[in-house]
Amino acid sequence: MTEAIRPQPGPQEQFLATPADIAIYGGAAFGGKTFALLLEAMRHQDNAQFGGVIFRRTTKQIMAEGGLWDTAGEIYPLIGADPNMTRLSWSFKSGAKITFSHLEHESDKFNWQGSQIAFIGFDELTHFTAGQFWYMLSRNRSMSGVRPYIRATCNPDPDSFVAELIAWWIDPATGVPIPERSGVVRWFIRYHNELVWADNPDELRERYPGSEPKSLTFIAASYRDNKIGLEKDPGYMANLDALPKVERERLKSGNWKIKPAAGDYFQETWFEIVERAPEVAKRVRYWDRAATEPNPENPDPDWTVGVKLSKDPQGVYYVEDVRRKRHRPAGVRALIKGTTQLDGVGCAVVLEHDPGQAGKVEADIYIKDLSGFDVHAIPPQGDKETRARPASSQAEACNIKIVRGEWNKAFLDELENFPKGKHDDQVDGLSGALNWLESNNIQPAAGSTVEPEADHCVPEAMRGRRRLEMLGRAGMGRMHPQRSL
């Protein structure tokens, strides 16, 4: 019995068939993007001179559970490819090679100076800078007989350079892809540092003699196109539905225009005010510290905030208390020590500290100062909005209650104004406390990015003898249908 590795009908198949010099695929979660990118590299497995590179922004993202390296490990051994963990590469039987690499820092692009890379892939293109993308385009050349080309995947990010690059394919009113334009190839040149577009290359050559246009297309895909993934993980849609509004619109609907606004993360009506929290619960007080009093130069500095949060056996959260003061360092230490003594040993204490050496030294002082209590010092995990998403999801589900207190109004006002308000210290405290209580379920993001989604596109029954069936792409070389494995 044989199985087949092939693109799924629809956008994934279209992505592997387009003749465009640059093709960008996805624009929503769970569209089978990583699988398609890896499948693309297999087209050249019999060309001993072929070498390609697929980039992720960080090495951690390459190795993330269910990400690029793991997905390659499900596919490439089926055609006899061998991995090299040291070099993060795969070698095919002919000697053809595909390498996974990172461009974590802007200057990392210069490590590729002088390189000739026939196939360049970007997994999650919105994580890269425009400078990195255009510089690597200059490395996209070939002596292997393969016409140089670029393939990329992405999720929506209205602040990335990709949003402007694919604007023609996106409805400016709704922010979602225009179905009739998906997969349409357009041409561009750069003139006076601006991209000039046309529907065909001859138009650009006539207007700008001596220019050589490049072709680009955007192919939209979503969870609806990944039927294999939905069969394997039917509960994934519930995960998307549980996201806060902004992330849900981006990852489920493919919205390239939506941005966070006041009320998108938290709304006062989501929180029930109760008289007390249950006695049996897991508790933590999370501190987001500042060390400045109001002064003429800075009349409205940040606050030191300690949010006490509990979770009962039924999974309901209770914001029991918020301590919020503006003190100099000595006053902050006194506030934290006094509050910890009032909370008692049954309440864990978590202190957020700067990741540098000075922050670690200061954290050690606090831990010694609070001897006898359950104290933890941690650096910030990701950006503020990323950290707030779990709390936002729980709040929208009306699963966070607030114990009545004088601090309620200031707390709710700040939450509702996030991320547009001037202060977000209480949001940080709530986010940190909830993430700490659920730390066994949360993997920290790589840098300030969101971990990549797993592309579930390979049938579970792929064992024994199989064959590779792939569709050819005009002008990109001959494929090898029904190749025995």
Side-chain angles (χ1 to χ4, degrees), residues 327-348:
H327 287 310
R328 295 177 65 83
V332 172
R333 285 182 61 188
L335 172 66
I336 293 176
K337 184 171 184 178
T339 304
T340 301
Q341 291 171 338
L342 289 174
D343 288 339
V345 295
C347 180

Side-chain angles (χ1 to χ4, degrees), residues 112-426:
W112 298 89
Q113 190 171 10
S115 297
Q116 300 185 57
I117 312 172
F119 164 64
I120 297 177
F122 291 93
D123 200 15
E124 295 297 347
L125 182 58
T126 55
H127 293 179
F128 297 86
T129 68
Q132 291 171 329
F133 175 75
W134 293 113
Y135 182 84
M136 292 311 302
L137 183 64
S138 73
R139 306 299 93 200
N140 191 208
R141 50 190 182 174
S142 173
M143 299 293 289
S144 63
V146 175
R147 180 169 63 86
Y149 66 110
I150 289 177
R151 295 293 178 262
T153 69
C154 66
N155 287 323
D157 182 349
D159 297 317
S160 74
F161 78 96
V162 182
E164 182 178 355
L165 188 62
I166 65 170
W168 184 84
W169 288 266
I170 305 300
D171 188 320
T174 65
V176 300
I178 301 171
E180 297 78 14
R181 294 185 177 183
S182 181
V184 174
V185 176
R186 300 196 77 209
W187 300 79
F188 70 89
I189 65 164
R190 188 177 291 277
Y191 183 74
H192 288 173
N193 209 32
E194 297 289 338
L195 297 185
V196 181
W197 294 87
D199 293 331
N200 64 77
D202 292 335
E203 179 183 344
L204 290 171
R205 292 188 184 108
E206 182 178 344
R207 291 166 56 191
Y208 303 94
S211 65
E212 187 53 43
K214 302 288 288 185
S215 59
L216 185 146
T217 190
F218 172 72
I219 299 170
S222 74
Y223 66 93
R224 298 182 186 89
D225 304 305
N226 189 358
K227 293 180 174 56
I228 293 176
L230 290 175
E231 289 174 3
K232 292 183 65 178
D233 189 1
Y236 185 74
M237 293 316 304
N239 295 345
L240 293 180
D241 289 334
L243 290 169
K245 177 183 176 181
V246 174
E247 293 302 311
R248 185 169 62 245
E249 278 294 306
R250 290 179 182 176
L251 297 181
K252 185 177 181 181
S253 303
N255 191 328
W256 282 84
K257 296 294 184 181
I258 191 168
K259 293 185 179 183
D264 282 342
Y265 278 83
F266 301 99
Q267 296 180 21
E268 183 176 349
T269 55
W270 296 347
F271 298 89
E272 178 187 356
I273 305 295
V274 298
E275 298 303 321
R276 63 181 61 84
E279 291 187 11
V280 178
K282 183 179 179 181
R283 289 180 166 82
V284 64
R285 171 103 50 186
Y286 192 99
W287 289 96
D288 181 39
R289 293 176 296 120
T292 304
E293 294 178 330
N295 58 75
E297 289 75 26
N298 187 6
D300 189 21
D302 288 336
W303 299 73
T304 290
V305 169
V307 175
K308 184 178 181 180
L309 186 71
S310 59
K311 181 182 180 183
D312 71 13
Q314 287 71 46
V316 178
Y317 299 93
Y318 294 82
V319 184
E320 297 189 19
D321 181 56
V322 175
R323 296 297 170 98
R324 184 170 177 253
K325 298 289 184 181
R326 286 165 165 160
H327 287 310
R328 295 177 65 83
V332 172
R333 285 182 61 188
L335 172 66
I336 293 176
K337 184 171 184 178
T339 304
T340 301
Q341 291 171 338
L342 289 174
D343 288 339
V345 295
C347 180
V349 181
V350 179
L351 302 164
E352 189 173 292
H353 70 82
D354 293 334
Q357 184 61 32
K360 295 175 182 178
V361 171
E362 186 183 28
D364 287 342
I365 293 173
Y366 271 96
I367 291 172
K368 292 177 181 178
D369 208 27
L370 299 175
S371 178
F373 294 92
D374 182 17
V375 185
H376 307 266
I378 63 172
Q381 302 293 316
D383 63 87
K384 292 176 181 290
E385 290 182 37
T386 298
R387 286 181 281 166
R389 286 171 191 151
S392 174
S393 296
Q394 293 297 323
E396 188 174 5
C398 299
N399 201 38
I400 302 179
K401 304 182 187 300
I402 295 177
V403 176
R404 191 182 303 279
E406 294 181 355
W407 50 269
N408 291 172
K409 185 179 185 304
F411 179 73
L412 290 170
D413 285 349
E414 184 176 302
L415 263 61
E416 273 208 319
N417 286 322
F418 181 79
K420 298 299 183 180
K422 180 177 181 180
H423 294 292
D424 49 27
D425 315 291
Q426 295 176 96

